[in-house]
Amino acid sequence: MTAFSINSFAIAAALGTFAAPALAQAPATPWELKSDMGYAYDKEGKTYSYKMGTSNAGELLKGAKKVPKGTLFFIGHNGQLYMRTGPYLEGDGKFKFGPDQ
């Protein structure tokens, strides 16, 4: 009975090893950001979305900066939000910083 359990576990682990790369290669999906919404990352590291109006749009744009095309946003191991400009895709279109294979 114990040998059967160990063999079953080994088979399940092997199948999981083969399935993991397939899941990691899922195609990227676009963000669904909307023009009437604001997205925030607060001082405690929490994210929020807000419904925006137009009465004070001028004030909102003061000091705002455009995000350059080709910018990658990510959360580091420390929970901090980061951004990086520059290439993030390989020549074949695969994500340059994907999981190790």
Side-chain angles (χ1 to χ4, degrees), residues 12-99:
L15 290 175
T17 302
F18 292 119
L23 293 174
Q25 297 299 323
T29 56
W31 281 5
E32 293 191 31
L33 302 178
K34 298 180 180 179
S35 61
D36 61 345
M37 296 294 294
Y39 303 91
Y41 179 68
D42 75 7
K43 293 179 182 181
E44 285 77 39
K46 295 179 183 175
T47 57
Y48 297 93
S49 60
Y50 300 97
K51 177 79 172 153
M52 295 182 7
T54 57
S55 62
N56 57 355
E59 185 179 342
L60 177 66
L61 289 171
K62 286 182 184 176
K65 298 178 183 176
K66 292 181 182 179
V67 175
K69 292 180 180 179
T71 301
L72 174 67
F73 297 93
F74 60 97
I75 302 289
H77 285 110
N78 59 0
Q80 177 68 44
L81 177 66
Y82 291 92
M83 63 180 272
R84 178 185 192 275
T85 56
Y88 54 87
L89 298 177
E90 298 286 355
D92 60 1
K94 289 184 182 176
F95 186 57
K96 187 174 185 176
F97 305 102

